[in-house]
Amino acid sequence: MSLAGPEGAAPSWLVGEVRVTRIEEAAHRLPIDQFIPSADAEQLRRHRQRLSAAQVDDDGTMTLVISAFIVESRGRRLLVDTCVGPEHEHGDPRSPFLDRLAAAGFPPASIDAVVCTHLHFDHIGWNTVLVDGARQPAFERAGYFFCQDEWDALRDAERVGLLSSVGPNVEWLLDRGRASLVPAAYRLTDEVSLLPTFGHSPGHVAILVQSGGQQAVITGDAAHHPIQLLAPELTTVADFNPDGAVSSRLALIDRAINTDAVVFGTHFADPCAVRLEGHGSGVALNAVESTGAAP
């Protein structure tokens, strides 16, 4: 696993005419059964050979990467999720995210749209910034997009835990007319749309890319770890509706297999881009190599 710093190159892939680039903010190591309780020794024994050492090691320690994706489509730069940011208690006041974004060729002023797969703190943290004590959008030219279903379900929820960043990074933008609430299958361009994957959160969406006869899906938290593509019944301690999360993940897996789609795992350690192939009664994960750094 490598985190591209300001001096490094961010990995990039082509899906038809759409370019997808990953920007990583941080990576965390923790026992896999602490986050995915049913990922016990038997599950690891069954699936370990299909996972990389970066994703889970022989001791059952997994890597959870905090990342975002830039999707370039029809001359627009779309930023999918904005990581934890510097203000949250689990964030880093010296977070390198904006520097890494700029080093990859995507300074904040070049972003046309920000779309958040859901409203948990590790996906919205850089939506806004404090400058001399005053809050402002981190991406001054961008329109911000949130799923209407997600906001309807969570607007009155207590702003603690996973939702502790909603006030400054979502509601602040909505109150000032800087963000739009959109349907769960909203099209950002004719190549890029939201894909309803409710369950992990009430209105969770993945991002669907369809271009030049090729497809890709950016998971958001429809799958936190690639073991969940091998054993979709495995749920996390962070799932709002575990049964719904499993149903959405099964549908995503079926779509990926049937359309030969690239699956980009928002939290996956390398390889973060895989194709899924039916493998007996299960699934095989085939790494998709990047096409190099973003130009």
Side-chain angles (χ1 to χ4, degrees), residues 18-38:
V18 173
R19 183 174 290 277
V20 178
T21 302
R22 192 190 206 198
I23 308 294
E24 299 179 18
E25 181 182 48
H28 304 286
R29 301 274 288 162
L30 70 161
I32 192 168
D33 59 359
Q34 179 178 313
F35 188 65
I36 306 174
S38 296

Side-chain angles (χ1 to χ4, degrees), residues 129-136:
V129 291
L130 287 173
V131 178
D132 297 327
R135 191 162 300 280
Q136 64 185 43

Side-chain angles (χ1 to χ4, degrees), residues 175-188:
D175 287 347
R176 287 156 182 78
R178 289 300 309 266
S180 300
L181 297 172
V182 297
Y186 183 76
R187 298 192 73 85
L188 295 155

Side-chain angles (χ1 to χ4, degrees), residues 92-150:
D92 178 359
R94 298 179 300 279
S95 166
F97 179 70
L98 292 186
D99 289 338
R100 288 175 175 165
L101 198 63
F106 307 105
S110 73
I111 302 301
D112 297 294
V114 175
V115 56
C116 297
T117 58
H118 61 302
L119 303 186
H120 290 173
F121 73 89
D122 54 326
H123 296 260
I124 61 174
W126 276 109
N127 283 358
T128 67
V129 291
L130 287 173
V131 178
D132 297 327
R135 191 162 300 280
Q136 64 185 43
F139 305 93
E140 60 263 36
R141 289 183 50 250
Y144 288 76
F145 297 88
F146 308 113
C147 177
Q148 179 80 61
D149 298 80
E150 180 90 341

